[in-house]
């Protein structure tokens, strides 16, 4: 634990340098009695690392694991609430649309009105054409 405390002042001094140098030093490792402590200098996340089968295996520190699990639980709750809200809104919208659409009977009745209107209108147009023809004298064919 003392090694972790010694790591904090070391990280505080990492202010300058090029972007490449900063990226290269993103993770700081400090040896402990049981392995290593790794710190992400950008996020502050700390991991406990051990050597197993010639590989370095790292796990999040216990307090960060708990915080991570809490955040995951919070986000899952938010996702569930959003999904429920979406379903509720979709159902509400579907009901509104269905309640404003005419029934099949109303649709057929309206189509009947439209058909009668257009037949009547076309009848008036034909009558007007007949009147126009009757009022205009017929022109003699052109003989040239």
């Amino acid at each position: 634990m003392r090694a972790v405390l010694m790591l904090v002042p070391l990280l505080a001094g990492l202010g300058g340098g090029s972007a490449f140098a900063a990226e290269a030093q993103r993770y700081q490792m400090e040896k402990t009695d049981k392995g290593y402590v790794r710190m992400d200098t950008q996020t502050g996340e700390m991991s406990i690392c051990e050597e197993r089968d010639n590989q370095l295996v790292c796990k999040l520190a216990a307090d960060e694991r708990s915080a991570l699990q809490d955040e995951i639980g919070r986000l899952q709750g938010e996702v569930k609430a959003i999904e429920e809200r979406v379903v509720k809104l979709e159902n509400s919208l579907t009901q509104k649309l269905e309640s404003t659409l005419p029934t099949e009977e109303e649709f057929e009745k309206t189509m009947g009105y439209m058909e009668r209107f257009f037949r009547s209108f076309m009848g008036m147009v034909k009558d007007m054409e007949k009147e126009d023809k009757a009022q205009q004298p017929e022109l003699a064919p052109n003989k040239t």
Side-chain angles (χ1 to χ4, degrees):
M1 193 56 150
R2 193 172 86 158
V4 173
L5 293 176
M6 292 174 58
L7 182 64
V8 173
L10 174 68
L11 294 176
L14 293 175
S18 70
F20 179 74
E23 184 64 30
Q25 295 182 2
R26 178 174 176 177
Y27 295 100
Q28 295 292 318
M29 300 285 285
E30 192 70 33
K31 185 149 179 65
T32 66
D33 295 339
K34 296 181 180 181
Y36 296 91
V37 174
R38 179 182 73 176
M39 180 173 173
D40 184 334
T41 60
Q42 290 181 357
T43 65
E45 182 178 86
M46 296 184 76
S47 302
I48 307 298
C49 303
E50 297 176 339
E51 284 188 51
R52 290 188 203 155
D53 300 325
N54 293 328
Q55 291 185 0
L56 195 59
V57 178
C58 298
K59 296 179 185 176
L60 288 176
D63 59 337
E64 291 197 31
R65 182 180 304 271
S66 174
L68 183 60
Q69 291 298 328
D70 290 346
E71 181 68 4
I72 289 171
R74 185 186 69 77
L75 292 173
Q76 286 174 335
E78 282 186 22
V79 167
K80 184 176 180 182
I82 290 170
E83 288 173 344
E84 288 171 356
R85 185 171 177 210
V86 167
V87 167
K88 187 186 236 184
L89 289 171
E90 286 176 343
N91 289 340
S92 172
L93 182 59
T94 301
Q95 287 175 352
K96 279 185 180 179
L97 288 174
E98 287 175 356
S99 68
T100 59
L101 292 175
T103 64
E104 188 67 29
E105 184 180 315
E106 292 170 328
F107 177 77
E108 290 299 326
K109 188 175 181 181
T110 302
M111 290 303 290
Y113 290 143
M114 288 178 66
E115 182 181 359
R116 284 186 9 221
F117 167 79
F118 280 112
R119 286 186 187 277
S120 177
F121 178 77
M122 293 306 292
M124 286 190 283
V125 169
K126 287 179 183 175
D127 289 345
M128 290 175 78
E129 286 176 346
K130 286 179 188 176
E131 286 177 12
D132 279 349
K133 284 185 180 179
Q135 289 177 355
Q136 291 180 357
E138 288 194 34
L139 298 174
N142 222 355
K143 294 181 183 179
T144 18

